[in-house]
């Protein structure tokens, strides 16, 4: 198996933890893995993207347009922004939560309506659902990242327990149970 | 043991295993984590320095005393540390000394995209450039031996994509290096003209030896293929070349961009029909090739701007484009912005409301330049707000009543103090505002000399900003709470109107600090809201306009109440329950 996964969202939504967990599981499975993320300025509520690539041998740490097997989007608009990175036949998994960017807040732009429907009409495979609601059921709005990761995990031939193991090893002890719950709810959705 | 590491962690692991004992750095994206990871090892003395020049000089002192040392900085930080670097090249080292510098092509979090390789050439010191985490680890570890063997500081050049990409590293054990004795040696370490003249000769001889070393050193390697094409590349560009071509073209991978080999390149070029040089930013390797009489294809095909990717290279070689799907609806931009509850917001709102010209600086508070506040007029480099304001007022003293400088606590420590000394000494009616949020914010919460804690979070010496400003000669020093808009307004108006320099310290800790507890979120009373949008002028990400009324996102709001104080109709309320 080899794949390129793009994780996109809004700075502060926890995409770094999702990529960290994904990376840990893939290394554990014996894959060559590269993860690329950008820190600093872009974390302050800006649009953020993380690339995760794995296979027998990975050279480039970044994903170019038309190369992503999966786009895991933490926010609706961000899925549309990065849709051209999706490979032909790839899939977008998206949290339908809307977070207004500053140009929308100031009234300089409007939040696009029916953006996912538009992509679906163009033949893009999309799984969209309210991950925030699921995260809240697990006990924290912050667990959106784990809920989405679980949806991605479902598509990989890696056993369920390996993911839970990675959560136990990576997440701070007091958040392990909540995150495992979020993973379980997401996985069995 | 195999571990997934970002390049910066791999550098720190390499330095650790290489026997480093002292590191002193100033944080700067994308270099910060090198020092943060080193601080986790108890057998290393790790420090945040007030600026990169101090960091490099601390590393020099440690090297002089006989231990292996390093400093780390972002590309523009090397401008600040350039003074010690250039003469360190002359003195050479006692214990090995590594200068880690991280370039930021595409300026993910920087004010320019300068190419640090120019510094290695200009300062005549060797430079190593890894292309992934494994190399970052190996190069950092062996850089100490190189430094001591050739008696020179070594620059380890990272770039954003190597510094912040994780890849697998096979790590080893720390080498225990015995401290070298300190022996007084004025001819080597006292750089007065009589000695420096002789040391310059040593530098030139060393460069000749390094050039010879470059021909066979383990950092450069040829990957042969059955092809007419030859590509010389380095750093992250190497990975993109391999991504596109795999093993189908000849590759000369340069891991030591200074000094560059000559014969190795000539031999490589002789074995291919078409020679390409693929390097991000400036044509350093390409120019070297041209000086050797070669005619490579380089910057005429590849841009000196921004980052490359496999797509850049595929396009240049006319490979078929990959099919993509794009929505017709344009996605509005999502620029970074000041957080909900950011203490800088209230201060900036007051400056914008009073139409003040703001000479800005480098930090989170540069985001005050974004609409709707649009409160900043210039951003140049660390510290330039304070000295820039002085120049502005020298040119136009009438502007003193409507112009200020804003600078963060960490940036003020870095290089704002000297500007303030200049204001006191050369006399302008300047009003300098120190935005003291008790942390170095933008780089991800590093301690600094004003916070009272060191890099390990232990209590440390604390600079008292008020006393410091007074000692410099500023008589008018006052502190305001930026959440208190009325106090901000009064302070700014009063200090702008007096006929002497003044400092306003806008003090409130960053809301993202763990010890800062958020207040319950506020809400909008829809019946009282008259849709005047005054609250929207704050540019707070928690406030939006929904169905004709202001709306506060309870998951983002930290209850700072700045908007509550602004609402003329009392429509912003503390939510019940």
């Amino acid at each position: 198996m080899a794949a390129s996964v793009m994780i996109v969202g809004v700075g502060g939504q926890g995409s770094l933890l999702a990529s960290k967990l994904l990376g840990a599981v893939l290394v554990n499975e014996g894959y060559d893995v590269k993860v690329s993320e950008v820190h600093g300025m872009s974390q302050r509520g800006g649009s953020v993207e993380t690339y995760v690539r794995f296979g027998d041998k990975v050279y480039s740490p970044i994903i170019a347009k038309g190369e992503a097997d999966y786009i895991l989007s933490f926010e609706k608009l961000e899925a549309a922004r990065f849709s051209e990175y999706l490979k032909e036949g790839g899939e977008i998994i998206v949290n339908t939560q809307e977070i207004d960017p500053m140009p929308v807040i100031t009234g300089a732009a409007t939040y696009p309506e029916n953006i996912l429907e538009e992509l679906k009409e163009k033949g893009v495979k999309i799984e969209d659902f309210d991950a925030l609601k699921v995260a809240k059921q697990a006990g924290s709005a912050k667990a959106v990242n784990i809920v989405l990761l679980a949806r991605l995990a479902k598509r990989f031939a890696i056993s369920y327990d390996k993911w839970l193991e990675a959560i136990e090893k990576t997440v701070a002890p007091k958040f392990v149970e909540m995150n495992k719950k979020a993973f379980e709810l997401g996985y069995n959705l | 043991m195999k571990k997934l590491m970002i390049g910066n962690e791999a550098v720190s692991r390499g330095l650790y295993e290489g026997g480093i004992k002292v590191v002193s750095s100033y944080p700067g994206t994308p270099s910060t984590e090198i020092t943060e990871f080193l601080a986790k090892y108890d057998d290393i003395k790790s420090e945040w320095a007030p600026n990169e020049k101090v960091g490099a000089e601390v590393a020099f002192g440690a090297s002089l005393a006989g231990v292996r040392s390093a400093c780390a900085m972002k590309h523009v930080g090397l401008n600040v540390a350039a003074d010690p670097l250039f003469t360190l090249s002359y003195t050479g080292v006692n214990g090995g000394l590594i200068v880690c510098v991280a370039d930021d092509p595409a300026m993910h979090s920087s004010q320019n995209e300068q190419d640090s390789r120019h510094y290695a050439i200009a300062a005549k010191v060797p430079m190593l450039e890894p292309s992934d985490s494994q190399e970052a680890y190996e190069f950092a570890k062996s850089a100490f031996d190189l430094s001591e063997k050739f008696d020179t500081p070594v620059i380890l050049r990272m770039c954003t994509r190597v510094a912040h990409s994780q890849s697998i590293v096979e790590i080893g054990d720390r080498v225990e290096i015995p401290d070298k004795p300190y022996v007084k040696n004025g001819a080597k370490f006292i750089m007065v003209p009589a000695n420096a003249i002789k040391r310059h000769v040593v530098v030139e001889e060393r460069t000749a030896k390094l050039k010879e070393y470059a021909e066979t050193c383990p950092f450069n390697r040829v990957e042969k293929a059955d092809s007419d094409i030859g590509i010389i590349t380095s750093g992250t560009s190497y990975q993109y070349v391999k991504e596109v071509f795999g093993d189908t073209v000849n590759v000369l991978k340069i891991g030591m961009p200074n000094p560059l080999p000559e014969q190795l390149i000539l031999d490589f070029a002789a074995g291919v029909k078409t020679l390409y040089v693929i390097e991000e930013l400036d044509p350093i390797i390409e120019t070297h090739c041209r000086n050797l009489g070669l005619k490579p294809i380089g910057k005429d095909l590849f841009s000196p701007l921004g980052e490359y990717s496999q797509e850049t290279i595929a396009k240049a070689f006319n490979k078929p484009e990959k099919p993509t799907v794009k929505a017709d609806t344009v996605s509005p931009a999502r620029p970074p912005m000041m957080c909900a509850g950011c203490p800088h917001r209230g201060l900036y709102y007051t400056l914008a409301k009073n139409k003040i010209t703001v000479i800005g600086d480098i930090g989170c508070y540069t985001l005050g330049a974004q609409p709707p506040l649009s409160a900043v007029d210039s951003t140049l480099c660390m510290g330039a707000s304070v000295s820039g304001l002085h120049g502005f007022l020298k040119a136009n003293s009438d502007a003193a009543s409507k112009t200020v400088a804003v600078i963060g606590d960490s940036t003020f420590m870095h290089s704002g103090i000297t500007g303030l000394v200049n204001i006191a000494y050369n006399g302008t009616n300047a009003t300098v505002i120190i935005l003291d949020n008790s942390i170095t914010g933008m780089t991800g919460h590093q301690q600094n000399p004003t916070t009272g804690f060191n890099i390990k979070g232990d209590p440390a010496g604390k600079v008292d900003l008020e006393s410091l400003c007074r000692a410099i000669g500023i008589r008018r020093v006052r502190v305001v709470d930026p959440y208190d808009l009325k106090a901000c307004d009064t302070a700014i108006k009063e200090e702008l109107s007096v006929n002497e320099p003044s400092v306003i310290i806008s003090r409130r800790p960053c809301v993202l600090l763990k010890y800062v507890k958020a207040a319950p979120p506020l809400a909008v009373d829809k019946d009282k809201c008259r849709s005047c949008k005054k609250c929207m002028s704050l540019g707070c990400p928690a406030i939006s306009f929904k169905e004709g009324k202001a709306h506060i996102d309870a998951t983002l709001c930290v209850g700072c109440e700045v908007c509550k104080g602004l609402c003329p109709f009392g429509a912003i309320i503390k939510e019940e329950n």
Side-chain angles (χ1 to χ4, degrees):
Chain A
M1 188 165 61
S4 294
V5 180
M6 203 160 164
I7 304 174
V8 302
V10 179
Q13 277 195 302
S15 60
L16 289 188
L17 177 63
S19 64
K20 198 173 173 183
L21 284 166
L22 180 56
V25 168
L26 294 167
V27 170
N28 197 36
E29 291 293 303
Y31 290 110
D32 188 21
V33 181
K34 283 193 176 168
V35 180
S36 192
E37 59 213 18
V38 172
H39 308 199
M41 182 73 100
S42 37
Q43 283 180 307
R44 300 280 173 265
S47 174
V48 290
E49 74 246 40
T50 304
Y51 312 112
V52 181
R53 305 188 69 219
F54 67 98
D56 293 335
K57 174 73 191 165
V58 178
Y59 286 110
S60 173
I62 65 182
I63 297 171
K65 285 174 192 150
E67 287 188 354
D69 295 273
Y70 298 99
I71 293 177
L72 206 58
S73 182
F74 286 37
E75 199 271 351
K76 197 160 82 179
L77 169 59
E78 296 309 309
R81 186 189 312 286
F82 292 103
S83 63
E84 57 180 333
Y85 283 80
L86 199 67
K87 184 190 271 184
E88 213 171 18
E91 186 182 4
I92 299 178
I93 304 167
V94 53
N95 174 20
T96 49
Q97 186 184 354
E98 292 182 7
I99 301 174
D100 286 350
M102 194 46 75
V104 171
I105 291 176
T106 59
T110 49
Y111 196 101
E113 281 177 45
N114 306 321
I115 193 100
L116 295 181
E117 287 65 28
E118 190 186 325
L119 287 169
K120 282 179 190 169
E121 272 168 28
K122 287 176 183 276
V124 180
K125 198 174 165 195
I126 296 179
E127 176 180 291
D128 51 334
F129 70 106
D130 188 348
L132 182 63
K133 196 171 131 194
V134 183
K136 281 178 181 165
Q137 277 169 19
S140 169
K142 290 195 170 150
V144 160
N145 51 6
I146 304 296
V147 173
L148 283 162
L149 182 67
R151 295 311 301 161
L152 179 73
K154 189 120 190 168
R155 286 150 170 89
F156 291 158
I158 298 170
S159 82
Y160 182 82
D161 294 343
K162 298 274 178 73
W163 298 92
L164 292 192
E165 230 171 79
I167 290 173
E168 281 165 13
K169 277 188 195 162
T170 312
V171 175
K174 62 175 173 176
F175 298 121
V176 166
E177 279 316 308
M178 185 273 292
N179 279 303
K180 278 163 79 171
K181 177 86 184 156
F183 191 86
E184 188 197 327
L185 290 175
Y187 201 88
N188 297 318
L189 212 60
Chain B
M1 192 180 82
K2 277 186 175 176
K3 221 187 145 201
L4 198 58
M5 285 181 173
I6 59 166
N8 283 347
E9 182 181 4
V11 168
S12 77
R13 182 69 203 185
L15 294 174
Y16 168 74
E17 288 185 22
I20 188 175
K21 293 218 168 130
V22 174
V23 63
S24 181
S25 309
Y26 185 79
T29 312
S31 72
T32 311
E33 301 84 1
I34 294 173
T35 311
E36 287 183 322
F37 278 108
L38 282 170
K40 293 179 194 242
Y41 297 107
D42 286 334
D43 30 8
I44 301 171
K45 301 216 167 52
S46 312
E47 294 177 356
W48 287 131
N51 67 32
E52 296 85 354
K53 180 177 186 292
V54 173
E57 290 157 354
V58 168
F60 156 72
S63 163
L64 183 66
V67 308
R68 292 185 161 185
S69 66
C71 52
M73 60 204 70
K74 67 184 295 170
H75 59 320
V76 284
L78 191 52
N79 300 336
V80 181
D83 198 3
L85 173 71
F86 276 69
T87 308
L88 259 171
S89 172
Y90 279 37
T91 64
V93 301
N94 187 20
L97 193 161
I98 316 300
V99 176
C100 306
V101 60
D103 286 8
D104 189 16
M107 297 175 275
H108 294 282
S109 197
S110 301
Q111 66 269 42
N112 76 26
E113 54 182 355
Q114 68 187 48
D115 188 328
S116 292
R117 292 178 297 172
H118 292 290
Y119 273 107
I121 297 167
K124 304 185 179 191
V125 297
M127 173 180 261
L128 302 179
E129 183 181 25
S131 71
D132 64 10
S133 296
Q134 179 66 35
E135 283 188 351
Y137 157 77
E138 287 169 8
F139 287 14
K141 190 171 179 178
S142 44
F144 281 122
D145 290 335
L146 188 68
S147 169
E148 289 176 7
K149 183 179 170 191
F150 288 94
D151 190 9
T152 175
V154 173
I155 304 179
L156 182 72
R157 181 197 188 219
M158 304 288 283
C159 69
T160 301
R161 285 299 167 193
V162 177
H164 285 166
S165 289
Q166 303 174 43
S167 56
I168 294 169
V169 181
E170 180 92 53
I171 59 171
D173 299 315
R174 178 165 164 95
V175 187
E176 280 311 326
I177 304 290
D179 295 354
K180 290 186 174 178
Y182 169 69
V183 182
K184 186 167 175 153
N185 183 353
K188 178 166 155 62
F189 288 110
I190 304 172
M191 285 303 93
V192 292
N195 292 338
I197 285 166
K198 290 174 193 149
R199 289 302 298 179
H200 191 181
V201 178
V202 175
V203 169
E204 296 304 326
E205 287 168 356
R206 181 181 74 205
T207 299
K209 283 182 201 155
L210 279 162
K211 275 184 180 166
E212 207 182 304
Y213 172 75
E215 300 292 349
T216 56
C217 78
F219 307 107
N220 302 326
R221 71 165 183 267
V222 174
E223 296 175 7
K224 284 239 167 241
D226 184 18
S227 165
D228 292 339
I229 294 175
I231 298 174
I232 306 178
T233 184
S234 71
T236 187
S237 299
Y238 164 79
Q239 305 293 350
Y240 307 142
V241 167
K242 295 296 282 186
E243 182 75 31
V244 171
F245 290 106
D247 298 329
T248 64
V249 294
N250 297 287
V251 173
L252 170 54
K253 182 191 177 295
I254 298 291
M256 186 158 94
N258 192 59
L260 284 163
E262 293 182 1
Q263 199 55 49
L264 183 65
I265 288 176
L266 287 170
D267 290 348
F268 180 77
V272 300
K273 271 194 186 147
T274 321
L275 183 69
Y276 293 87
V277 175
I278 303 180
E279 55 189 325
E280 284 179 339
L281 301 182
D282 295 339
I284 304 279
I285 301 173
E286 182 183 343
T287 304
H288 177 75
C289 288
R290 292 194 190 282
N291 290 342
L292 294 174
L294 301 170
K295 291 188 171 57
I297 298 167
K299 291 297 169 190
D300 36 5
L301 193 57
F302 296 95
S303 173
L305 314 177
E307 284 187 310
Y308 293 171
S309 70
Q310 53 268 40
E311 195 183 0
T312 317
I313 290 159
K315 241 183 211 166
F317 284 88
N318 296 318
K319 304 256 176 197
E321 277 185 36
K322 292 178 174 148
T324 58
V325 182
K326 202 173 183 235
D328 299 322
T329 309
V330 178
S331 302
R334 191 186 297 276
M337 55 195 169
M338 287 191 285
C339 308
C342 176
H344 303 324
R345 180 172 286 108
L347 200 282
Y348 273 132
Y349 172 80
T350 311
L351 291 171
K353 189 190 78 173
N354 289 300
K355 298 190 168 53
I356 308 291
T357 300
V358 176
I359 314 294
D361 222 297
I362 308 273
C364 276
Y365 51 92
T366 312
L367 295 170
Q370 300 272 26
L373 289 166
S374 307
V376 177
D377 289 71
S378 81
T379 297
L380 182 66
C381 65
M382 297 283 285
S385 58
V386 186
S387 8
L389 172 64
H390 178 78
F392 199 86
L393 301 183
K394 280 286 171 186
N396 176 10
S397 57
D398 292 345
S401 62
K402 50 182 188 222
T403 313
V404 300
V406 294
I407 184 165
D409 48 321
S410 187
T411 310
F412 184 68
M413 283 294 109
H414 179 283
S415 46
I417 299 170
T418 42
L420 192 63
V421 169
N422 189 43
I423 285 170
Y425 173 54
N426 283 312
T428 41
N429 271 345
T431 301
V432 173
I433 303 176
I434 302 175
L435 302 167
D436 179 8
N437 66 347
S438 310
I439 204 72
T440 312
M442 182 56 90
T443 44
H445 284 186
Q446 288 73 34
Q447 303 295 342
N448 70 55
T450 69
T451 66
F453 296 95
N454 64 21
I455 193 170
K456 290 185 188 265
D458 297 327
K462 184 178 185 343
V463 171
D464 180 333
L465 282 172
E466 292 91 311
S467 308
L468 173 66
C469 295
R470 287 196 185 98
I472 283 171
I474 309 296
R475 292 186 307 171
R476 296 187 66 92
V477 180
R478 62 198 283 177
V479 179
V480 292
D481 176 356
Y483 278 3
D484 186 342
L485 292 181
K486 274 188 191 135
C488 285
D489 196 60
T490 308
I492 288 166
K493 281 180 178 155
E494 282 178 8
E495 297 314 322
L496 282 172
S497 66
V498 296
N499 280 325
E500 63 175 302
S502 44
V503 169
I504 300 171
I505 300 170
S506 170
R507 179 171 288 152
R508 185 171 267 276
C510 170
V511 283
L512 299 182
L513 283 164
K514 277 189 182 146
Y515 66 81
V516 177
K517 295 280 173 251
L522 303 176
V524 176
D525 182 334
K526 304 278 180 209
D527 296 332
K528 287 189 182 166
C529 175
R530 299 213 200 152
S531 315
C532 73
K533 294 194 177 181
K534 197 157 188 191
C535 54
M536 304 283 294
S537 62
L538 285 167
C540 175
I543 308 175
S544 57
F545 211 64
K546 292 212 163 113
E547 289 149 13
K549 302 275 176 177
H551 170 80
I552 294 177
D553 183 336
T555 62
L556 289 173
C557 178
V558 297
C560 75
E561 299 193 10
V562 171
C563 59
K564 185 168 173 272
L566 207 59
C567 178
F569 309 107
I572 296 176
I573 50 169
K574 285 187 191 175
E575 199 156 26
E576 301 302 321
N577 78 45

